[in-house]
Amino acid sequence: DGIYDDNDDDDDDDKAIDDEYDIVKIYTLEGPLLFSNAHLLPSIFDWNGDPSNVEVHLQNCTVHDYTSMNALNKIAEKYKKKQKQIHLKSINITTLKSFDKATKLIPHFKYDVDVHEEHISPAMRLNVAHGSRRQL
């Protein structure tokens, strides 16, 4: 009749799962991102609580200016300081051209164009045009 904790074995199982699969937090931005709303971006990201891999999906978002690129770069820099990676995905051609022109100004994040993955939830979605937030 001893006292034991059934959860001890579960902790080892959870660690094995964490080692086998990367946990990725996905944020999805929608609408135009420009100087007038770029200041909203830091309020949705959680660089302290997010896992070590973070993706920002921009499929319905166009980054219009250097102010918004700088805001994304500063967010990526905060993740980098926490030894976390942030990757921008599903970038449209207009945003890609802007990023390509400003590569020296945005050293802290990686981005790509071709993403053929299905939308994975849960994700935080921010309509940057309206500053609204909703959890998927």
Side-chain angles (χ1 to χ4, degrees):
D1 281 0
I3 298 174
Y4 61 94
D5 184 2
D6 286 336
N7 292 330
D8 286 343
D9 293 336
D10 291 342
D11 290 341
D12 292 338
D13 292 341
D14 290 344
K15 182 166 176 33
I17 290 170
D18 288 347
D19 290 343
E20 187 176 346
Y21 299 102
D22 287 335
I23 298 171
V24 178
K25 173 72 180 227
I26 299 173
Y27 293 92
T28 301
L29 300 181
E30 295 181 337
L33 182 59
L34 40 89
F35 70 93
S36 62
N37 58 16
H39 68 282
L40 298 172
L41 286 177
S43 67
I44 67 160
F45 291 91
D46 181 13
W47 39 85
N48 291 318
D50 283 346
S52 60
N53 292 306
V54 176
E55 292 180 1
V56 180
H57 290 206
L58 300 170
Q59 63 263 20
N60 296 316
C61 180
T62 301
V63 179
H64 286 283
D65 59 24
Y66 293 117
T67 302
S68 50
M69 280 186 260
N70 188 46
L72 288 168
N73 191 58
K74 285 183 178 181
I75 291 164
E77 182 179 22
K78 289 181 181 187
Y79 278 103
K80 228 177 183 180
K81 286 180 180 177
K82 301 281 183 184
Q83 285 77 43
K84 298 179 180 185
Q85 295 181 358
I86 188 166
H87 195 95
L88 279 59
K89 295 191 167 211
S90 303
I91 298 171
N92 64 39
I93 195 69
T94 303
T95 299
L96 177 66
K97 286 179 182 179
S98 297
F99 285 174
D100 286 345
K101 288 180 187 177
T103 53
K104 293 189 193 275
L105 300 175
I106 51 173
H108 296 293
F109 63 80
K110 298 175 186 174
Y111 59 92
D112 62 28
V113 184
D114 299 322
V115 175
H116 301 290
E117 301 172 357
E118 290 298 315
H119 189 73
I120 303 168
S121 55
M124 179 67 74
R125 179 172 291 189
L126 172 70
N127 186 322
V128 291
H130 298 98
S132 63
R133 232 196 270 192
R134 66 178 180 221
Q135 186 74 30
L136 292 179

